[in-house]
Amino acid sequence: MRDGMRRRDLDRGRRYMRRGVRRRIIAMLVCLVAMVAVMFSAASLFVWIRDRMAEAAAASGGDVVDGSGIVSVDAEGNVVDEDGNIVGVLSGSVGLSPEEVEAQVTDARQQAATEVLEGIRTRLNDGDSVLEALRPLYPNDMIVYSGGQYHIVPIDYSLKQHGFQDANLQILETGEYQYLQDGQVVSHKGIDVSEFQGEIDWNLVAQDGVEFAFIRAAYRGYGTGKLVEDANFDSNVQGAQAAGIKVGAYIYSQAITEEEVVEEANLVLEKIAPYNMECPIVFDVEKVTGGEGRMNALSVEERTRLTQIFCQTIENAGHRPMLYYNTEMGIMMLELGALEGYDKWFAAYREDFYYPYAHKIWQYSQSGRVQGIQAEVDLNISFEPLW
């Protein structure tokens, strides 16, 4: 759901991020290096002690024993009794002083720091973004750039997870995505459009394999707050349905009060009333990037509450609501636990399933090409039929 105005906003935001990217990562790297170094040092010391104990076990036929029974080995390689008294040293071992142990720890820290920094440097040199370079280091967290900072947010495993596998994602030479199961394509091809796509030949769109389309019904200005109907909504719905394409509708919201969000829901219900909408009715909630969007100032609780009101209003009218958002919105600006009962449409322009939470549609491109549409268009796949 990217119109021309929001494309420009997104480009400005990306340029802003790139300019300051290396400065912002320095503090994170310092903490990261220290953490990895400590872990590496502890692991190295453990392996060293384990090896010494194995040597002692081999020398004594399997156990380290004295006259009264099995004894233990301390960190310096000394054989000690149950009271901690030194009764011998491991056969073939070399004793280390505290200073020598500290030197080994220091070397381990330096080695760990070098390995971490070299890994990040390699990823950046290979063309990865800062986020892509850092993400493998935090397998149980989401790294999100928001508000001029990088945020490391623990994954909430109490929420529904999608379970999609990168190995099942197929990217065609045309750039089209498909999802496979047992070698068979199970995903469905879709687009979303507004008046910015101009006049559309929906028969050609259908011939290009598009199975579903979401049509913009209206939008609210992020600065003025004015609610505006999409000029091509009716012609797009009629053309798509006549071509056999399943249709849903969406509204780009910038509501900041309950009255405004109910107004948006009622307008959408009015617009779709003449049609049989096979697909869900979508609440598009986005932060305006590079501009002062009126919805940007809402708290997480306020934004979540408005989203609930829209979805409840649509549901009460007998339609299926759906929520559209991107990574930043889903991780930082909505309480997904309160929205678990609603289907999700997730937007991210990646080639993997980094985002862990359940969603039925993935918008993977904002610059796709489809027969019958002269302008660029958003491309989507659904992982199951929406109708």
Side-chain angles (χ1 to χ4, degrees), residues 160-186:
K160 295 177 183 177
Q161 313 287 298
H162 58 65
F164 303 134
Q165 302 295 320
D166 290 344
N168 293 341
L169 181 64
Q170 177 172 268
I171 302 177
L172 306 182
E173 292 183 358
T174 60
E176 180 180 331
Y177 285 20
Q178 295 178 336
Y179 192 73
L180 310 181
Q181 285 184 353
D182 299 325
Q184 301 297 315
V185 177
V186 296

Side-chain angles (χ1 to χ4, degrees), residues 110-130:
Q110 293 175 345
Q111 180 180 352
T114 300
E115 290 176 355
V116 170
L117 291 174
E118 184 59 32
I120 293 175
R121 183 183 297 110
T122 298
R123 295 187 185 99
L124 293 175
N125 288 339
D126 288 344
D128 289 350
S129 68
V130 172

Side-chain angles (χ1 to χ4, degrees), residues 41-320:
S41 301
S44 299
L45 190 56
F46 172 78
V47 170
W48 179 78
I49 294 172
R50 184 195 63 190
D51 291 344
R52 301 289 81 74
M53 292 182 69
E55 293 173 2
S60 62
D63 292 318
V64 181
V65 298
D66 64 6
S68 60
I70 298 175
V71 297
S72 60
V73 180
D74 66 14
E76 283 72 39
N78 299 311
V79 180
V80 297
D81 61 19
E82 60 184 6
D83 296 323
N85 300 313
I86 298 176
V87 297
V89 296
L90 294 179
S91 176
S93 68
V94 178
L96 294 177
S97 68
E99 292 76 14
E100 290 171 319
V101 171
E102 181 60 31
Q104 286 195 1
V105 171
T106 299
D107 290 342
R109 286 174 178 166
Q110 293 175 345
Q111 180 180 352
T114 300
E115 290 176 355
V116 170
L117 291 174
E118 184 59 32
I120 293 175
R121 183 183 297 110
T122 298
R123 295 187 185 99
L124 293 175
N125 288 339
D126 288 344
D128 289 350
S129 68
V130 172
L131 291 179
E132 290 171 331
L134 291 177
R135 281 168 176 166
L137 304 175
Y138 295 89
N140 294 312
D141 302 285
M142 293 290 294
I143 302 179
V144 184
Y145 184 80
S146 178
Q149 297 180 333
Y150 293 97
H151 301 264
I152 302 174
V153 183
I155 295 173
D156 185 351
Y157 289 101
S158 70
L159 297 176
K160 295 177 183 177
Q161 313 287 298
H162 58 65
F164 303 134
Q165 302 295 320
D166 290 344
N168 293 341
L169 181 64
Q170 177 172 268
I171 302 177
L172 306 182
E173 292 183 358
T174 60
E176 180 180 331
Y177 285 20
Q178 295 178 336
Y179 192 73
L180 310 181
Q181 285 184 353
D182 299 325
Q184 301 297 315
V185 177
V186 296
S187 59
H188 303 269
K189 181 178 180 179
I191 60 175
D192 56 89
V193 300
S194 70
E195 62 189 49
F196 288 96
Q197 272 68 46
E199 185 175 348
I200 297 175
D201 186 331
W202 285 100
N203 288 320
L204 288 179
V205 172
Q207 291 175 25
D208 203 7
V210 172
E211 298 179 67
F212 67 92
F214 283 94
I215 315 297
R216 189 177 72 171
Y219 67 93
R220 189 183 293 277
Y222 69 80
T224 65
K226 183 180 179 181
L227 191 57
V228 182
E229 298 181 20
D230 190 290
N232 290 3
F233 177 75
D234 291 301
S235 61
N236 279 333
V237 172
Q238 293 166 12
Q241 290 187 330
I245 296 172
K246 308 298 184 182
V247 173
Y250 76 90
I251 184 169
Y252 172 72
S253 176
Q254 280 291 303
I256 57 176
T257 67
E258 292 188 11
E259 292 75 17
E260 286 186 348
V261 80
V262 170
E263 179 187 20
E264 292 178 356
N266 286 336
L267 176 58
V268 174
L269 291 172
E270 177 185 334
K271 296 288 291 181
I272 68 176
Y275 309 107
N276 175 29
M277 308 300 286
E278 301 96 338
C279 297
I281 308 304
V282 181
F283 187 65
D284 174 9
V285 54
E286 298 183 44
K287 174 185 175 182
V288 176
T289 304
E292 296 298 325
R294 63 204 305 266
M295 192 184 243
N296 290 7
L298 293 176
S299 68
V300 172
E301 294 76 17
E302 290 169 333
R303 190 176 296 104
T304 301
R305 177 58 183 158
L306 294 180
T307 302
Q308 289 175 314
I309 292 173
F310 180 91
C311 291
Q312 290 168 0
T313 303
I314 296 300
E315 195 168 41
N316 291 341
H319 298 277
R320 288 178 296 153

